Amino acid sequence: MSIPDYMQCAEDHQTVLVVVQPVGIVPEDEFFRIYKRITSVAQVSIRDSQRNLYIRYRHHYLPENNEWGDFQTHRKVVGLISVTTCGSAKEWPQTSDRFHCQKDVFGATLYDSRLLVFGLQGEIAEQQRTDVAFYPSYDDCPDVEKRVEDFVESIFIVLESKRLDRATDKSGDKIPLLCVPFEKKDFVGLDTDSRHYKKCCQGRMRKHVGDLCLQAGMLQDALVHYHMAVELLRSVNDFLWLGAALEGLCSASVIFHYPGGTAGKASGREPSLARGQGQAADTGKRHRPGALTANGISADTSSEIGRAKNCLGPEDIIEKYKESISYYGKYKNAGVIELEACVKAVRVLAIQKRVMEASEFLQNAVYINLGQLSEEEKIQRYSILSELYHLIGFHRKSAFFKRVAAMQCVAPTIPEPGWRACYKLLLETLPGYSLCLDPKDFSKGSHRGWAAVQVRLLHELVYASRRMGNPGLSVRHLSFLLQTMLDLLSDQEKKEVTQSLENYTSKCPGGMEVLTLPDGLKLPPVPLSKLPIVRSVKLLDLPVSLRPHKQKGLLENNLSSKSPFIYSPIIMHTRGEERTKKIEFRWVQGDVCEVQLMVYNPMPFELRVEHMGLLTSGVEFEALPAALSLPAESGLYPVTLVGVPRTAGNININGYHTSVFGVTSDCLLDGLPSVRTSGCVVEVIPSLPRLQLSTSLPRSAHPLRPSKEELSSSVSVQLFNGETQQLTITLENIGSEDLETLEVTSKTCNTKEKLFGEFLSWDLEEAVSQLPLKPGQSVTLTVNVKVRLDFSGGENLLQDLNDDGISVTGLPISSPLRQVLKPRAETKALGSESSKTDYNHVKTLEAVMTFKYSGGAGKVEGYYRHLSLGVHVDVEPSVFFTRVSTLPATRTRQCHLLLDVFNSTEHELMVSANNNQDLVLHPSECQRPAAGSSRGEPSLYRSMSLVGWRSRWLSSTFTRYPSRTRKPCATPTPNYWRRRGFTPRPP
Amino acid sequence: MAVCIAVIAKENYPLYIRSVPIQNELKFHYTVHTSLDVVEEKISAVGKAMADQRELYLGLLYPTEDYKVYGCVTNSKVKFVIVADSSNTSLRDNEIRSMFRKLHNSFTDVMCNPFYNPGDTIQSKAFDSMVSAMMVQAS
């Protein structure tokens, strides 16, 4: 007996063994279908008695093991059911012969046998035979179960007769000595008349009767017999049989205490048992010391008390098991018996929840030497150890043995390594190492576990799946390894893992589909969200010029339609929540939208990421993938992913898509709590036209100072006061929608200066007449830039005037303005640099032109876009008044006001004053036009006339003469001339 | 003297594991890992009633062919595991106890470090050197 039956459990002692075998050629699936039906008859209650007979079926049993049948009767094959196919009457004799041959194999021990013949019809099939049943086909055999039951009953009759036979002939005749195969030669030539020998025979027989009683369903009688056998055998030191008697005692007690069985749910007997006795399946799982149950025992309480005395208590059972195993251990050849006893004891202990003791039994079982085991047996042994450890809740130990079994499957000594089995076993070890192949479990926080062991296991999985010829699995496991254990791998390991991953993916690219193993296990996809690691995701607004705006009126309309209430806290609440996720700005259908990711590469080498794109939902989105290459251990690195929404609606940025080392992964932001994001939902509005603006003037380098408004572009120009410049603006429709409306407005920003007349003026009529503007077409708009500023407040000028010896203190032209201007001169950024040496007379004028336009589907929704053009004009003064004097006029109420006008420009300019003829001033020329002024109430009139004059002067036209160059701001001021003792005069 | 010393967190993941460098390190990982089954069982077996006077020292967890595995659990359920060579018969129970005591003291010091995050792997040099002193010197 060399092959242990690891599935044995204590209650198997009460079963009778029936072998079911095919004879001749029987299709395997048909055989097992019949086998299954036969095995459903696992328990038969015998008519006219309260007893049950339990049957254990085997379709394969070593005759060698049968020889131990005297030692423990449940090892003895007592029944044989043969299944055969017989096509015609001609084959019948042959089939019959084969059946008889098979019967001879177990012949010595068989109580009865049956032959089930399928396919035979006709004469032979008609005859009624007890030992042969004929069925026309495998599908047409309704009474198989009935037949088997009859068969079992006939076995019972033989069993019962044997039991009675053995139990009664107590001392009269000579009792034969029962012995196990290896003992036979030991007893040769032994004195058969000695007292010792007789006792030995008696004890062994007693034990045998105990076995028979147990099988025949007489539990209490069995207990009594076992007790007597123990007494007898102990006195003669027959250790092997003493062990067997003790084990029989244990088995009977276990059957008594745990009627649910110790084998667990896997046992095929349980359903029938539950059916037969209406017991809940879990009764056996509870530990109920000394509990008396109605397990086929009569309800007579008085007898129960007597019986319970013979029965061992739960504690004793284990003690006796220990003792029995120690006796078995004395015999090398009883290794299998010892091992099986250990397994049975562990199962009992598992039910009793005495885990520590169970582990001791198992530890012992590990060391039982069964001689040379074949590789297959080793695998079986390790797997069963693993299963038993699992049973007692030692999951780690169980995983350890399972892994050993897996490794055994592919041991180098095996000619054909079972990589498939190895892989399957390895997968089963995963829970023991608290590893789950779903990467979602690892997304929370840092990894905590037995990294070294887990990494090893994953490597083994990878290797096994590769040898299995399934590179897809290898890729999946390797990606899992990379994703979850990245922080725990050394640089060298990282390199190796990625290299092998690249090797595998060259054969089988990794994807995002769920891999399903043949046994139904699903391997979820592993997105490599750590290659590269994404730290933040930020949706970017469109560039200023492309941002859509909503018409105000429509917006209000939209709001009010949401709720009839002006105020409702509920709406406020939901709106607030929306805001946390929804982003303020909008994207436009058909326009390129950008999302910025901050990424870094944790690997010690350059990481190439291909096809990096956005994953979106809600809106049809055309992602434009990017490829990037991140340097080794890079810092945070901005990556902009772009795409074009193709329809309108709310778009949700769910994640991103990458392809690294040939593994494509879809990383969803939901699963990446470490990624910072400011919201991922953006409204995409229907498409709008796009305008491109170009101007005839050069672009401005410096932005406008009041940068409240973001400008799409700006121009700057330098003009003399009073000068007019034409600005041609070309608007080209570069989008795909028709431009339907265009509005132009302007706003002057720098309002501190007093501005006369219109700064910017245009005529929109012509441009509007060209609408709608088809894509690719352009429209031009001419804008007149006219500057008329008040330069009279210049401080230096007034100083000059003061110094002229004429009292000007009373002049209202100076005093109020001086006070206002003085502090400003210091704070002015432009003026501050040159104020020490020279007063800067340049003034700036700024305005923003806004082009509101709309069209296409976006217009229907009430959206528009605007372009804004900043116009920056540096205005230089064109003339200076260097001297003021008065001349009495002919009338007393009037006087002449004489002004020295100096042309500081390099151009000719024309000054026109009230009622005077125009005066042409050449560059750097000074002239004295006389301005008539009324006398009289000096303070009043003068000021009036001066103001009036000034306004006239301001309205003087500056005529620009073409084809000259201008030097900006280099013109000497009157002060400059004065300091050199020079009074500018006309040449 | 020990051949492998491990500190295991309450949640049964290793905070610290160190073995004599000459041998197969992974083997000790397996040994310590499987010993946790026994540790858990012993802790639960003691039960709640005895929680107050429970002894920290768990004794011999299980013997293997080459090694003996000893365990100890603190009140905060942090486990210490010492693997000793079976051939070293001179090692008494008392010595093992004192080793655990030293280990516990040193671990307490580590926990007192304000810069140590409970639950992180132990990287303290002081702890390391103390463990080294308890290990078998590789000859």
Side-chain angles (χ1 to χ4, degrees):
Chain A
M1 181 146 157
S2 60
I3 300 167
D5 178 5
Y6 292 103
M7 299 318 290
Q8 273 204 21
C9 44
E11 58 268 28
D12 283 344
H13 282 253
Q14 67 174 337
T15 59
V16 291
L17 185 62
V18 171
V19 171
V20 183
Q21 277 185 330
V23 174
I25 304 142
V26 177
E28 200 169 299
D29 51 334
E30 299 289 359
F31 171 72
F32 279 102
R33 228 175 68 203
I34 297 298
Y35 180 71
K36 221 177 147 195
R37 289 182 62 181
I38 293 170
T39 50
S40 67
V41 191
Q43 181 192 21
V44 176
S45 31
I46 307 304
R47 260 172 284 163
D48 311 325
S49 79
Q50 303 250 307
R51 287 184 268 166
N52 282 320
L53 194 65
Y54 298 94
I55 306 101
R56 196 156 58 110
Y57 295 96
R58 287 285 178 274
H59 53 84
H60 181 78
Y61 199 73
L62 281 182
E64 188 195 346
N65 285 6
N66 198 22
E67 288 167 21
W68 285 74
D70 283 338
F71 182 68
Q72 284 173 323
T73 51
H74 71 282
R75 298 179 187 280
K76 192 190 279 188
V77 180
V78 296
L80 174 71
I81 299 176
S82 290
V83 178
T84 188
T85 316
C86 191
S88 62
K90 256 191 251 164
E91 290 173 30
W92 171 242
Q94 198 191 346
T95 312
S96 186
D97 283 350
R98 278 199 197 139
F99 172 57
H100 287 293
C101 284
Q102 206 169 31
K103 256 187 3 192
D104 291 340
V105 175
F106 304 106
T109 57
L110 282 186
Y111 293 169
D112 202 355
S113 59
R114 284 286 183 279
L115 177 64
L116 304 181
V117 184
F118 291 91
L120 194 67
Q121 278 166 316
E123 227 176 287
I124 304 163
E126 312 262 293
Q127 52 186 283
Q128 290 291 321
R129 290 178 58 169
T130 45
D131 61 334
V132 183
F134 295 97
Y135 298 104
S137 76
Y138 287 102
D139 301 311
D140 185 17
C141 46
D143 66 336
V144 167
E145 287 88 352
K146 182 80 193 55
R147 277 277 183 170
V148 174
E149 270 176 46
D150 291 345
F151 171 63
V152 170
E153 270 181 44
S154 86
I155 287 179
F156 176 78
I157 291 161
V158 181
L159 178 71
E160 185 68 5
S161 68
K162 288 221 178 212
R163 182 184 71 81
L164 291 170
D165 184 36
R166 297 275 159 84
T168 45
D169 59 356
K170 268 173 193 158
S171 51
D173 308 328
K174 202 171 174 188
I175 303 167
L177 180 74
L178 298 166
C179 55
V180 293
F182 72 86
E183 277 180 328
K184 275 182 179 134
K185 58 181 184 294
D186 300 348
F187 288 104
V188 175
L190 215 72
D191 179 11
T192 52
D193 290 330
S194 72
R195 196 179 144 75
H196 183 269
Y197 182 81
K198 270 187 186 157
K199 261 200 160 169
C200 206
C201 291
Q202 271 178 6
R204 288 183 180 194
M205 185 52 76
R206 208 31 98 180
K207 193 252 155 206
H208 182 69
V209 174
D211 282 351
L212 290 174
C213 287
L214 192 59
Q215 283 186 314
M218 301 178 68
L219 185 72
Q220 301 307 326
D221 289 23
L223 282 169
V224 174
H225 286 295
Y226 282 137
H227 271 294
M228 285 162 75
V230 168
E231 293 297 306
L232 283 165
L233 293 166
R234 208 188 282 280
S235 63
V236 293
N237 288 341
D238 187 1
F239 291 122
L240 184 64
W241 285 78
L242 175 57
L246 286 169
E247 200 195 334
L249 196 55
C250 292
S251 304
S253 308
V254 168
I255 291 162
F256 179 75
H257 283 303
Y258 311 109
T262 57
K265 276 182 180 155
S267 160
R269 187 142 41 111
E270 214 159 30
S272 66
L273 199 136
R275 175 160 36 100
Q277 316 211 319
Q279 276 176 328
D282 64 333
T283 45
K285 294 209 166 54
R286 276 206 310 272
H287 171 40
R288 291 170 302 152
L292 297 172
T293 62
N295 180 28
I297 306 162
S298 71
D300 185 354
T301 45
S302 61
S303 63
E304 264 181 19
I305 291 162
R307 282 165 188 166
K309 213 158 54 181
N310 285 329
C311 184
L312 296 174
E315 295 283 334
D316 283 344
I317 292 174
I318 301 310
E319 280 308 305
K320 292 289 185 283
Y321 260 126
K322 265 187 199 156
E323 198 184 340
S324 134
I325 287 163
S326 73
Y327 293 142
Y328 289 149
K330 289 178 197 288
Y331 299 86
K332 231 184 155 192
N333 293 320
V336 173
I337 305 286
E338 186 187 357
L339 189 59
E340 287 182 6
C342 279
V343 171
K344 288 175 215 169
V346 168
R347 293 212 157 101
V348 174
L349 281 167
I351 283 184
Q352 295 185 347
K353 300 251 183 282
R354 288 160 68 180
V355 177
M356 286 309 293
E357 279 159 300
S359 79
E360 276 166 37
F361 273 102
L362 276 176
Q363 192 81 37
N364 180 44
V366 174
Y367 294 126
I368 295 171
N369 185 12
L370 295 181
Q372 278 297 55
L373 285 178
S374 73
E375 300 295 335
E376 199 178 315
E377 284 163 345
K378 277 186 196 163
I379 296 165
Q380 200 192 6
R381 185 162 172 187
Y382 292 130
S383 332
I384 207 74
L385 279 171
S386 152
E387 238 167 74
L388 289 170
Y389 270 117
H390 185 77
L391 190 69
I392 61 171
F394 279 23
H395 300 292
R396 298 179 186 90
K397 201 89 174 163
S398 161
F400 177 81
F401 276 106
K402 196 146 265 174
R403 193 186 144 268
V404 172
M407 290 297 110
Q408 199 69 51
C409 290
V410 292
T413 49
I414 296 180
E416 278 178 34
W419 288 106
R420 214 163 272 281
C422 168
Y423 180 77
K424 194 172 164 290
L425 287 169
L426 281 177
L427 275 185
E428 287 169 16
T429 66
L430 289 172
Y433 292 110
S434 43
L435 209 68
C436 170
L437 288 181
D438 193 345
K440 281 188 189 107
D441 289 14
F442 286 86
S443 54
K444 326 161 189 114
S446 59
H447 173 72
R448 283 176 174 179
W450 288 81
V453 178
Q454 290 172 338
V455 168
R456 176 61 176 266
L457 180 62
L458 284 172
H459 273 299
E460 282 164 357
L461 273 174
V462 169
Y463 191 69
S465 54
R466 187 177 74 95
R467 295 300 299 265
M468 244 164 76
N470 194 338
L473 284 178
S474 312
V475 169
R476 182 57 49 89
H477 290 310
L478 264 180
S479 345
F480 182 82
L481 178 67
L482 261 186
Q483 168 72 14
T484 57
M485 308 284 173
L486 190 65
D487 309 340
L488 308 159
L489 297 176
S490 68
D491 284 0
Q492 186 59 35
E493 281 174 311
K494 281 179 192 171
K495 263 181 204 151
E496 284 168 11
V497 169
T498 48
Q499 244 162 35
S500 47
L501 182 59
E502 273 176 315
N503 280 343
Y504 292 141
T505 49
S506 63
K507 282 173 234 151
C508 173
M512 285 301 291
E513 68 281 359
V514 175
L515 293 179
T516 309
L517 296 177
D519 57 346
L521 186 80
K522 284 192 169 63
L523 290 183
V526 182
L528 291 173
S529 63
K530 285 192 179 162
L531 294 175
I533 297 176
V534 172
R535 269 296 138 84
S536 71
V537 173
K538 192 178 156 204
L539 278 64
L540 298 182
D541 200 353
L542 292 171
V544 185
S545 60
L546 294 177
R547 275 176 210 168
H549 300 270
K550 186 120 188 166
Q551 303 270 347
K552 285 237 164 59
L554 285 167
L555 191 76
E556 277 166 348
N557 218 358
N558 202 15
L559 259 177
S560 61
S561 71
K562 271 187 177 174
S563 158
F565 303 109
I566 296 168
Y567 169 79
S568 159
I570 299 159
I571 289 172
M572 285 299 287
H573 187 67
T574 53
R575 274 181 64 82
E577 268 187 352
E578 260 177 12
R579 203 169 292 140
T580 57
K581 270 221 97 173
K582 198 160 170 176
I583 292 174
E584 296 289 316
F585 55 79
R586 300 181 183 90
W587 282 352
V588 180
Q589 174 190 343
D591 280 356
V592 173
C593 302
E594 296 179 322
V595 175
Q596 194 181 52
L597 309 180
M598 297 304 282
V599 301
Y600 78 88
N601 172 15
M603 300 304 257
F605 45 83
E606 193 187 334
L607 184 69
R608 287 200 53 79
V609 186
E610 278 150 25
H611 299 292
M612 192 158 186
L614 290 171
L615 294 175
T616 58
S617 65
V619 161
E620 221 174 280
F621 189 79
E622 184 187 331
L624 307 170
L628 49 138
S629 168
L630 297 168
E633 317 235 349
S634 69
L636 275 183
Y637 209 84
V639 173
T640 308
L641 299 180
V642 295
V644 180
R646 289 295 173 205
T647 54
N650 277 336
I651 187 168
N652 192 355
I653 305 295
N654 294 330
Y656 58 95
H657 171 93
T658 58
S659 173
V660 189
F661 306 123
V663 179
T664 56
S665 29
D666 295 342
C667 308
L668 297 179
L669 295 179
D670 289 346
L672 302 168
S674 60
V675 175
R676 273 177 296 136
T677 167
S678 52
C680 297
V681 183
V682 177
E683 189 186 347
V684 177
I685 62 151
S687 52
L688 285 171
R690 279 170 70 182
L691 275 189
Q692 196 181 45
L693 184 146
S694 51
T695 59
S696 58
L697 288 174
R699 282 178 168 252
S700 164
H702 51 88
L704 295 195
R705 252 173 291 150
S707 53
K708 264 183 268 168
E709 278 180 89
E710 290 174 80
L711 300 172
S712 29
S713 64
S714 60
V715 293
S716 73
V717 62
Q718 206 162 30
L719 294 176
F720 286 106
N721 200 11
E723 196 177 351
T724 303
Q725 174 89 342
Q726 272 201 340
L727 171 64
T728 311
I729 295 169
T730 311
L731 298 167
E732 189 184 354
N733 185 359
I734 53 167
S736 54
E737 296 286 327
D738 287 1
L739 180 75
E740 286 165 30
T741 61
L742 179 65
E743 282 175 50
V744 184
T745 52
S746 80
K747 202 175 89 192
T748 311
C749 311
N750 203 350
T751 50
K752 287 158 198 159
E753 301 289 341
K754 199 170 176 206
L755 182 66
F756 299 92
E758 256 188 297
F759 176 35
L760 301 169
S761 58
W762 60 86
D763 184 22
L764 198 60
E765 289 297 314
E766 198 200 329
V768 169
S769 68
Q770 293 180 32
L771 298 182
L773 198 63
K774 295 256 181 302
Q777 288 180 332
S778 55
V779 65
T780 51
L781 182 71
T782 308
V783 178
N784 290 316
V785 184
K786 209 181 271 177
V787 281
R788 286 183 186 180
L789 282 180
D790 178 4
F791 275 91
S792 61
E795 190 168 346
N796 290 6
L797 174 67
L798 291 164
Q799 215 106 81
D800 294 346
L801 295 172
N802 266 345
D803 290 352
D804 212 35
I806 308 158
S807 169
V808 286
T809 41
L811 285 176
I813 184 174
S814 60
S815 50
L817 281 169
R818 188 189 287 184
Q819 274 142 32
V820 176
L821 282 170
K822 213 171 191 174
R824 198 191 303 160
E826 282 153 15
T827 52
K828 234 180 190 172
L830 273 173
S832 61
E833 283 170 12
S834 50
S835 64
K836 287 278 159 66
T837 53
D838 202 357
Y839 184 79
N840 196 336
H841 291 275
V842 177
K843 296 192 177 190
T844 52
L845 201 54
E846 289 171 345
V848 176
M849 287 189 77
T850 309
F851 300 84
K852 264 168 87 170
Y853 63 95
S854 185
K859 180 177 177 279
V860 180
E861 299 268 309
Y863 289 97
Y864 65 90
R865 270 176 172 156
H866 67 68
L867 277 174
S868 44
L869 173 70
V871 182
H872 176 101
V873 183
D874 287 326
V875 189
E876 287 175 49
S878 42
V879 290
F880 287 97
F881 295 85
T882 53
R883 194 181 284 265
V884 183
S885 53
T886 50
L887 275 179
T890 47
R891 281 191 287 167
T892 49
R893 290 189 71 82
Q894 278 185 338
C895 74
H896 289 286
L897 183 68
L898 298 181
L899 297 161
D900 287 0
V901 183
F902 171 64
N903 177 4
S904 63
T905 69
E906 292 151 14
H907 317 293
E908 263 187 7
L909 55 82
M910 197 188 285
V911 178
S912 57
N914 192 25
N915 297 334
N916 286 22
Q917 75 272 38
D918 291 349
L919 174 73
V920 175
L921 275 176
H922 295 287
S924 307
E925 191 182 29
C926 202
Q927 282 197 12
R928 180 176 292 184
S933 185
S934 55
R935 233 183 213 177
E937 297 292 325
S939 59
L940 177 71
Y941 277 104
R942 236 178 249 162
S943 71
M944 274 176 65
S945 72
L946 274 173
V947 168
W949 183 87
R950 204 168 65 214
S951 65
R952 276 197 301 279
W953 170 69
L954 282 164
S955 66
S956 65
T957 51
F958 183 104
T959 316
R960 200 162 206 182
Y961 296 96
S963 68
R964 321 132 295 162
T965 53
R966 267 180 14 162
K967 228 166 63 198
C969 289
T971 333
T973 61
N975 217 2
Y976 174 86
W977 298 110
R978 270 185 54 75
R979 252 182 250 127
R980 284 160 184 76
F982 174 76
T983 310
R985 292 269 172 232
Chain B
M1 291 273 116
V3 289
C4 173
I5 290 177
V7 181
I8 292 132
K10 181 169 175 279
E11 293 84 9
N12 289 332
Y13 63 89
L15 292 175
Y16 181 91
I17 182 158
R18 182 134 169 237
S19 53
V20 277
I22 42 161
Q23 264 135 349
N24 180 5
E25 205 182 332
L26 197 64
K27 185 173 77 178
F28 289 112
H29 276 260
Y30 278 118
T31 311
V32 177
H33 181 248
T34 46
S35 74
L36 285 181
D37 277 330
V38 186
V39 173
E40 274 196 335
E41 184 50 41
K42 288 210 173 190
I43 295 171
S44 66
V46 171
K48 289 174 185 78
M50 299 276 285
D52 302 335
Q53 63 241 36
R54 195 188 65 214
E55 209 191 354
L56 302 181
Y57 179 58
L58 295 174
L60 180 67
L61 297 179
Y62 70 97
T64 68
E65 274 174 281
D66 307 324
Y67 303 105
K68 283 180 173 153
V69 187
Y70 298 90
C72 173
V73 61
T74 69
N75 287 317
S76 56
K77 298 272 193 297
V78 172
K79 292 117 191 161
F80 301 115
V81 174
I82 291 179
V83 183
D85 212 313
S86 296
S87 57
N88 190 353
T89 46
S90 62
L91 206 59
R92 301 284 166 113
D93 207 41
N94 255 341
E95 288 168 53
I96 299 284
R97 273 172 199 269
S98 78
M99 276 165 87
F100 276 126
R101 213 166 299 129
K102 263 160 81 182
L103 204 60
H104 196 167
N105 286 340
S106 196
F107 177 71
T108 317
D109 290 345
V110 171
M111 294 299 280
C112 290
N113 177 2
F115 298 104
Y116 174 75
N117 253 341
D120 286 359
T121 48
I122 297 170
Q123 280 155 340
S124 155
K125 277 186 190 139
F127 189 79
D128 217 37
S129 62
M130 192 275 315
V131 168
S132 310
M134 289 202 299
M135 302 268 265
V136 172
Q137 254 59 51
S139 48

